[in-house]
Every structure is written in C-alpha cells, then in structure tokens.
Amino acid sequence: MKLLRILRKARKLGFRLGILKLIGYEAVFTCACRKRSSIEDWESPFTPMEPDARCWYADPLLCRHQDQEYVFMEAVDEKTKLGGIACAAVNDGKWGEIRSVICEDFHMSFPMIFNFKDRLYMIPETEMAEAVILYECMEFPFIWEKRAILLEGMRIVDSIVTEVEGDEIKILASMYDSENDFYTKFIRYSIYEQEDSFTARLTVEEEDFSLESRNAGYLLGGNPRVLPVQTSTQAVYGYSLKFYEWNDERRERLLKEVCPAGIHLTGRKMGKLIGVHTYSQTDRNEVIDIQYLRFNPRKWIERIRAKGEK
C-alpha cells in the first residue's frame, strides 16, 4: 500500500519530477535580485543569494526607508523547517548580510510592510498561529514589536495593503481551501486604529477557490496599478507569476505571465528551476524568489529518523 501511495504521488507530480523527488531531490527556495528593469524585461539576469547551510529563503519584499533599501523575507530553518523573518540590504542588485528580524514559535513568511501615520508596520503571514499579527517598527530595520493580534481563529495568508483612508487600512489577502491548500480564494479585511489600539474585521470574500488567487507581492505603481499574483499547478506550489491590471479594487486584464524557463540567473549554479512565486520592486531594485531542485542524500534517512522520534 505504501508503494502504491508513492507511485500515485509521483504520477501527480509528473513522471520526471516525481522520480527526482523519489530518489532524494527536494524543492527549496532562494531569493534573487537585480537592478530595476521592468516586468516586460525578463532577459536581464537576477543574482541569487549565496547558499546558506542554516536556512533557505523565500517571499522577498523590498522596503525603502530614509534612502535605505532592504529585502525582508521568509527564512526557513533547515533543521526545524520553521520560518522566521530576516532581512538584507540590497544595493544595485547586490546582496548585503542577512540578519534575523523576528522569530516566533510558529511559522512566519511574506513580511508585508507599510507606512501608516508616519510609522512602519509589518503584517507577516502567520496563518499557523490562526491570527493576523501586526508588528510595529521601533528601530529600522531590525527591531519590531508586536502591537496587535487580530482576526483570531482565521488562517489568512499573504496580506497586502491596497489603500489607506483615514483610520482604515484596507487589505487584500487569501484563505486556504480546507481540502487542498494549493487552492486559495481572495478575501478582504480592514484594520482600524482607535485611541492607539487596533481592531480588524473581514469585509469581503471575493470568489471561488482557484490555483491563482494569491498575492505575489505589493501592488505596483502606475495607472492602472498592477497586481502580481502567484499561480500553482496540481504538482507545483508557486509555479509562475502573473501580472494583472488592478482597477477599482479588482484584478482585470492579464498583462504577463513569467514561468521558471523565462528566468535568467548570473553567478551561482543551481539545480533545475521549478517555480517562482514572489516579486517586488522599487525604483532601484527588483527581487524574486525561485524554487529549485536540490539533491539531499540524507532526505529519506531524516524522514525515517523523524518518524522514529514520534
């Protein structure tokens, strides 16, 4: 029966990818940056981060503050597989030192940062904690304090601010399908500040669950604005990026899709690219993450050991 389940899983992944995973390859992420170009130019190469024996990185989102530019990202511990938030300076498409920013006893990713009343705040993805958690920056970029725990009991992912009106912060995010977390649907919620405290309420559930209803980064400027969306396939979570026109609080015409085969890298040699699912830009830099296959000869030993410890 175990062999039958393995063969069914391999078939779902596709024969080649299924076999590679079966013999010890694993899918991991890293981040890559370049000098600012445009979403139309995918010939200019990105520079991936140097390998790190402790962590792998994903969900890079750029933040510019007082002429400093940093990438805030998910940092997944190789041993615990638990994600925290880290950041690194970027300059002309080059990476600075990576430092930890926030670590909790639950998984964190997609560190969305926004300015509200001249203060910087962050809403990372914290769906494992079944709440939306708001952090305030006390000293940029490394010191953040928890300000509010909102929408408890809800598993919300990949929040982005779409608009700020007075004391209201409007947010577009997603929720998982309980049957298959590759499938999500867009939702909206708002955060309100009253007398230096924050509350939140869900406002709209947008549409049916699909493989392409999840944010891939901040809304991009312009007229109309552009919404980056991540898409998955039945086999690969975060396979491609799609860029849509954003008009009147909704996505409309598809402008471009970027697949792994269309991404060029410089420097570091890597395994086969199988996905890309986050994009961010400023007027100086652009960042993406890339999912690739890495051979891990200890993969099955580690799984057997973990089962024996339960």
Side-chain angles (χ1 to χ4, degrees):
M1 291 299 292
K2 286 185 178 179
L3 178 60
L4 184 59
R5 285 198 298 269
I6 290 171
L7 291 174
R8 284 175 177 169
K9 186 175 181 180
R11 182 180 178 185
K12 180 181 177 182
L13 290 170
F15 181 77
R16 185 170 182 274
L17 181 56
I19 293 299
L20 286 172
K21 287 198 170 185
L22 187 62
I23 64 175
Y25 281 84
E26 59 185 359
V28 294
F29 286 87
T30 193
C31 301
C33 66
R34 69 180 181 183
K35 289 183 180 180
R36 169 71 183 273
S37 183
S38 75
I39 63 169
E40 297 302 321
D41 173 22
W42 290 87
E43 295 299 318
S44 300
F46 288 81
T47 300
M49 299 171 120
E50 290 300 315
D52 187 328
R54 303 163 303 164
C55 296
W56 54 259
Y57 300 94
D59 285 352
L61 295 173
L62 279 159
C63 178
R64 184 175 179 178
H65 178 64
Q66 295 179 352
D67 211 36
Q68 303 174 75
E69 291 205 357
Y70 280 80
V71 176
F72 288 78
M73 68 200 102
E74 168 192 12
V76 177
D77 186 284
E78 287 278 19
K79 291 183 179 180
T80 66
K81 305 304 180 185
L82 203 63
I85 304 303
C87 74
V90 286
N91 184 29
D92 292 333
K94 296 179 182 179
W95 291 100
E97 179 187 5
I98 303 169
R99 290 181 56 179
S100 176
V101 175
I102 306 173
C103 288
E104 301 277 15
D105 59 0
F106 47 81
H107 184 79
M108 307 176 74
S109 58
F110 204 82
M112 189 270 298
I113 294 174
F114 62 98
N115 188 298
F116 179 65
K117 297 184 178 179
D118 297 322
R119 301 288 296 177
L120 284 179
Y121 294 89
M122 181 195 300
I123 299 177
E125 178 188 311
T126 54
E127 63 86 17
M128 185 180 285
E130 297 188 359
V132 169
I133 302 179
L134 179 69
Y135 294 83
E136 182 177 347
C137 184
M138 310 310 292
E139 185 178 331
F140 187 83
F142 302 117
I143 301 177
W144 299 77
E145 290 188 359
K146 191 179 296 182
R147 280 297 310 274
I149 300 175
L150 307 166
L151 299 177
E152 293 183 82
M154 302 184 70
R155 302 183 64 187
I156 292 173
V157 299
D158 297 347
S159 298
I160 63 167
V161 171
T162 60
E163 191 174 357
V164 175
E165 290 185 344
D167 293 329
E168 180 183 7
I169 305 158
K170 297 182 178 180
I171 292 175
L172 178 71
S174 296
M175 294 182 70
Y176 286 131
D177 183 344
S178 60
E179 299 297 322
N180 184 340
D181 60 14
F182 276 27
Y183 284 81
T184 56
K185 66 178 178 181
F186 279 126
I187 64 164
R188 298 169 189 269
Y189 67 93
S190 288
I191 296 175
Y192 303 89
E193 184 189 32
Q194 293 180 333
E195 298 180 354
D196 202 37
S197 65
F198 292 91
T199 59
R201 64 179 176 86
L202 191 67
T203 54
V204 181
E205 294 189 15
E206 286 287 301
E207 52 189 58
D208 294 333
F209 292 104
S210 80
L211 290 167
E212 49 183 83
S213 296
R214 189 163 179 169
N215 293 315
Y218 298 111
L219 278 168
L220 307 179
N223 188 19
R225 292 192 289 177
V226 175
L227 178 69
V229 171
Q230 62 170 276
T231 71
S232 296
T233 68
Q234 294 286 349
V236 178
Y237 162 70
Y239 170 70
S240 71
L241 296 171
K242 287 187 176 181
F243 296 89
Y244 288 90
E245 285 186 355
W246 176 261
N247 284 307
D248 298 324
E249 296 297 309
R250 64 177 59 86
R251 61 174 168 174
E252 294 185 343
R253 184 169 63 96
L254 175 65
L255 301 174
K256 189 172 185 65
E257 181 177 17
V258 178
C259 300
I263 294 170
H264 303 278
L265 303 175
T266 185
R268 174 183 171 192
K269 290 185 178 180
M270 304 179 67
K272 176 181 173 60
L273 300 190
I274 61 171
V276 53
H277 82 332
T278 308
Y279 173 87
S280 183
Q281 66 171 224
T282 64
D283 59 353
R284 298 179 186 173
N285 297 285
E286 288 176 280
V287 291
I288 57 171
D289 59 9
I290 44 180
Q291 185 178 188
Y292 65 101
L293 291 178
R294 178 183 68 180
F295 184 63
N296 179 7
R298 297 182 55 81
K299 175 180 176 181
W300 292 107
I301 296 173
E302 291 169 355
R303 286 190 177 182
I304 292 169
R305 182 179 296 165
K307 286 184 178 180
E309 292 174 352
K310 289 182 178 180

